Amino acid sequence: MLERAGGGLPSFADGTDNKSGGAMFTRRHWLSASAVLAAAPQALPAGGKPIVISSANGLRACARAMEMIRSGADTLDAVVAGVNIVEEDPEDDSVGYGGLPNEEGVVELDSCVMHGPTRRAGSVASIRGVKTPSKVAKLVMEQTDHIMLVGEGAGRFAKAYGFKEENLLTEKSRLAWLVWKRSLRDASGHNNWIGGPGALKPAARLKQMFPEASDELLAYAWERAVNPPTGTINCLALNAKGEMSGVTTTSGLAWKIPGRVGDSPIIGAGLYVDQDVGAAGSTGRGEENIRIAGGHTIVENMRHGMSPREACLDAVKRVARNYDNDRARLAKFDISFYALGRDGQYGSAALWSGTAKNGQVRPRQFAVNDGGKSRLENCAYLYERKG
Ligand code: GLY
């Protein structure tokens, strides 16, 4: 578990606590507070139904966020606490601890947050050694007048706030990385490892290389080596007062070139929240999302009258258009968008209807919690994936 020295958020000289929706604290911050007040929405609808949505890996995140919102927590505190569950879960290999590393075997994380009521944002990219980058992104928002910190600077900032440097590789992700490394070949089919291709099928070859690992673990590692994932979690929330916030957090593309940054920490791509309109975010191949500024595009679509679902489908169509709608090239990746309107409508759309495995297609889904148990709903999609 990640621990922060001192525990809790810092207090300030004037005795105020540092809460996401709270007042600003320093003289410099008082200045930005006036700007915030000037931009604040007129009146929020009271008595609306709180709702939290996320990517499909966020069932527990939505439940935690909803529980906090119902007990009066700020929407950003709620969604960050929600995704912290996934960031700290070693079994989710696309987010936080246990996330698949870069090509050098180092886990680099990206995250951003947006707080609707105060219209503030914070972000970290390529941060190493911290399990919960979403907490660091929130601190960037709360404690600095910057928006984004990257790499070493982001790490030093986290340390200054008491985050301990930790090894984010699990035995599972380390094995997957080694399998990927050992699967690489030059044009003649050679690589530097003992136990080359030979006559053995991949499974038998892997067993020879890693005799201690279970067949299940090796099958997982091989799948990840040949199909590098771009998982991620995006989580968006609306409370009964109409206040909205969002967070996106990821370990990014597996086996990436060190320093590669995807869409997740990019305000306007991996996440966008406009307190007057709604919120949107994305998971999947970040490069495609950055090229269409997906989060912002979807919120603008909703501002101009589209439902969240239509707005997400439009974003997906923009991604496809960048490939001249060529399904053969588009089949090499997937991307999903999620949107929540300030009126409580929500929706999601993916490029492909689902993921194919052993002739079966598992539908693309997203998580929803509107007060009861979290559930999965199917995403709208542009193209049907055939088994
Ligand atoms: N959407 C996550 C990434 O591409 O890094």
Side-chain angles (χ1 to χ4, degrees):
M1 289 282 288
L2 180 82
E3 282 172 8
R4 287 180 46 214
L9 290 167
S11 302
F12 292 83
D14 64 0
T16 52
D17 287 334
N18 177 21
K19 297 233 173 64
S20 303
M24 304 284 175
F25 318 103
T26 62
R27 198 168 162 275
R28 174 168 56 84
H29 284 113
W30 280 112
L31 296 175
S32 39
S34 350
V36 165
L37 285 176
Q42 306 296 306
L44 298 169
K49 195 172 170 183
I51 181 149
V52 184
I53 70 167
S54 82
S55 39
N57 52 352
L59 284 168
R60 286 175 302 156
C62 287
R64 162 84 63 90
M66 178 55 76
E67 192 189 309
M68 286 180 63
I69 286 171
R70 287 169 75 133
S71 57
D74 174 77
T75 48
L76 184 55
D77 291 338
V79 289
V80 168
V83 301
N84 287 165
I85 298 174
V86 184
E87 289 175 322
E88 287 172 352
D89 179 358
E91 290 306 314
D92 191 314
D93 65 10
S94 69
V95 180
Y97 176 52
L100 295 173
N102 67 20
E103 64 180 19
E104 292 171 355
V106 180
V107 181
E108 291 179 330
L109 305 175
D110 300 334
S111 179
C112 74
V113 300
M114 287 192 82
H115 185 242
T118 55
R119 296 170 189 273
R120 286 182 292 161
S123 163
V124 288
S126 269
I127 187 169
R128 299 175 171 197
V130 173
K131 284 182 179 170
T132 50
S134 63
K135 283 187 183 170
V136 187
K138 187 164 171 280
L139 279 170
V140 172
M141 182 191 93
E142 292 167 338
Q143 303 297 332
T144 76
D145 66 358
H146 305 343
I147 299 277
M148 188 173 202
L149 296 180
V150 305
E152 231 181 276
R156 282 208 294 268
F157 174 80
K159 262 193 197 157
Y161 275 88
F163 287 82
K164 291 199 182 110
E165 193 169 336
E166 296 184 272
N167 178 11
L168 304 188
L169 269 187
T170 57
E171 279 309 293
K172 193 172 162 184
S173 58
R174 190 181 56 79
L175 183 88
W177 170 63
L178 275 179
V179 167
W180 170 75
K181 253 172 104 69
R182 297 187 69 153
S183 72
L184 302 177
R185 311 249 170 274
D186 67 19
S188 68
H190 174 77
N191 74 10
N192 298 324
W193 302 90
I194 308 286
L200 295 174
K201 291 201 166 121
R205 225 167 48 221
L206 287 175
K207 196 70 192 168
Q208 203 179 53
M209 293 174 190
F210 304 100
E212 305 297 320
S214 69
D215 291 351
E216 193 192 353
L217 184 55
L218 290 175
Y220 154 83
W222 181 250
E223 162 61 23
R224 292 305 196 235
V226 295
N227 291 315
T230 45
T232 307
I233 180 166
N234 165 246
C235 188
L236 310 170
L238 170 74
N239 69 12
K241 291 186 278 181
E243 294 168 342
M244 306 195 73
S245 291
V247 58
T248 302
T249 178
T250 190
S251 51
L253 177 67
W255 333 131
K256 61 194 169 189
I257 296 172
R260 176 266 187 189
V261 171
D263 60 324
S264 301
I266 309 289
I267 302 294
L271 177 70
Y272 196 70
V273 179
D274 184 323
Q275 181 54 58
D276 296 341
V277 178
S282 179
T283 60
R285 189 170 161 78
E287 281 74 6
E288 306 313 328
N289 184 22
I290 293 171
R291 292 208 283 162
I292 64 149
H296 187 260
T297 295
I298 291 168
V299 170
E300 289 310 298
N301 283 345
M302 293 196 288
R303 189 193 307 281
H304 295 113
M306 284 189 198
S307 70
R309 185 174 178 274
E310 287 168 339
C312 290
L313 265 175
D314 173 71
V316 169
K317 286 179 189 161
R318 290 173 192 236
V319 170
R321 188 193 58 195
N322 283 344
Y323 286 79
D324 301 321
N325 302 307
D326 177 347
R327 289 189 196 204
R329 286 195 293 152
L330 289 164
K332 293 185 176 25
F333 64 87
D334 205 353
I335 185 163
S336 304
F337 295 99
Y338 315 90
L340 176 59
R342 189 166 169 256
D343 58 4
Q345 281 192 73
Y346 63 88
S348 168
L351 180 60
W352 291 97
S353 59
T355 44
K357 201 172 175 187
N358 305 328
Q360 303 282 317
V361 177
R362 240 181 55 204
R364 278 265 173 238
Q365 297 185 305
F366 66 111
V368 180
N369 190 307
D370 51 12
K373 218 170 153 225
S374 296
R375 62 179 182 272
L376 291 174
E377 293 189 15
N378 287 353
C379 303
Y381 57 86
L382 191 59
Y383 299 127
E384 177 106 34
R385 180 88 77 189
K386 303 271 187 265

